[in-house]
Amino acid sequence: MANLSPYHRTKTIWHHHGAHCTNTHQVGALLLIFSTLFVTRLLDHLPSSLHNNGSHSQWPIFNLQDRSPRKLSRFNGGGYLSWPQRGYGSVLSLKIYVYDENEIEALKPLMYGKEGNVDVDICYLGQWGTQVKIHRFLLKSRFRTREKDEADLFFVPAYVKCVHMLEGLTEEEINQTYVEALRQMPYFRRSGGRDHIFVFPSGNGAHFFTSWKTFLNRSIFLTPEGDRTNNKNTSSFDTWKDIIIPGNVDDEMTKNGDALVQPLPLSNRKYLANYLGRAQGLKGRLQLIQLADQYSHKLEAPDLKHDPPGKLFKVEYFEHLRNAKFCLIPRGLSSWTLRFFESFFVECVPVILSDRIELPFQNVIDYTRITIKWPATRIKPQLLEYLESIPDEVIEGMIANGRQVKCLWTYAPESEPCSAMHGILWELQRKVRVFHQSAETFWLHNGIIVNRDLVEFSNWKPPMPLP
């Protein structure tokens, strides 16, 4: 058995100096508590201008959980997005280790296909580009660490959605390769995967790794998909451990002031509402197309196809999308759709017709102020009547609110004051644990982590046994 030397623990959890607590100490402590409470209450009632020394943020302050007119999400005095302190901390201070494909050989086929010929620049584009973008941003992040021992979290890069689409790996090969990669990760074994991050950017979620329920059931998933129950026995999304992320809106639409297609004034829009997507034989989408046949002057919902002539190309698509006050968002093969995020960049109020949808950053954003959610079972003329009853000034208000939060749907460098990456990093910080455990890790009185054979963690060598 390896050396299990006592008192190996490096951090002191509790130290008792042996000093006695007198009545004087107790009175002093009570006075300190009361004075602190008094000063805190006093500061709470001061005008907000005094809190920031007279400087004003270039960004509007809004916390979407607060329904007061001045708050919709929260930015600090320097214009940077600020998450609520409760549960998150006051500043971002996490360290993420990013696995390298040269370190874990099995990651290469998960990123470039078994022949190594998958063009990653293609994977970067389209609605599933988050699998590449998040990886690239973390490689350049100030929160990246190259030391595993100091890492709070571990990021596992893989572009399996794209690799599978480009026929770089079959689903069976993806499963086998993931298992092979996990066997090369002692830190994954140490925590049972609880501190390891995986991106699954499509409606399939983690189901591309068919054995995810066996190997990744404790890991952190970054995914836009919160439900897949229509054609899977179970959803891979877990509200308590996973993070819903925005889909990847085309970069040409997310540029500040220089977007490919600009929004139209509300008074210039031709339609009350639109739905611009393929039916795919899905009930809700077919109902919208049929409704548009009856109310063609109010609802634009052409029966689009995957290929011309029934296909809308990028510029044409966004020009149609901006031409309505409301963008209808029915579910597709799964509950999420990229159209939800795209609608904010043409300033069209999203009307969600997907009952099981999960939305990103719900701890910060009050979606009742920027969207409408309508029962998918009531796609009828009543929906159009309701939308028509909403005054333009109310619609303008919702659009203005949406204008403030759309930066959270933009994948941009950390130098930007507001981006999807800022939101993701804050949500990841909430997942950080001081202590790591799994069913296959054990610890001794001196803090040393060992396995079932009492081998110290520092001596665990790949390939690691997996469940």
Side-chain angles (χ1 to χ4, degrees), residues 36-48 51 70:
T36 301
L37 286 172
F38 174 77
V39 172
T40 301
R41 292 291 178 90
L42 180 63
L43 288 173
D44 283 343
H45 288 85
L46 287 175
S48 60
H51 286 282
R70 68 183 184 87

Side-chain angles (χ1 to χ4, degrees), residues 45-112:
H45 288 85
L46 287 175
S48 60
S49 59
L50 297 182
H51 286 282
N52 58 16
N53 298 321
S55 63
H56 295 281
S57 168
Q58 60 178 317
W59 291 86
I61 297 177
F62 62 95
N63 174 7
L64 290 176
Q65 300 297 346
D66 185 337
R67 292 182 178 271
S68 62
R70 68 183 184 87
K71 289 188 176 181
L72 185 61
S73 187
R74 184 177 295 172
F75 291 83
N76 66 21
Y80 282 81
L81 185 67
S82 173
W83 246 236
Q85 185 168 344
R86 185 178 64 183
Y88 292 90
S90 57
V91 295
L92 272 175
S93 61
L94 71 168
K95 295 183 178 181
I96 301 175
Y97 182 86
V98 182
Y99 284 105
D100 188 274
E101 65 263 32
N102 295 315
E103 170 192 5
I104 308 292
E105 191 69 21
L107 290 179
K108 290 181 179 179
L110 293 175
M111 297 168 69
Y112 312 115

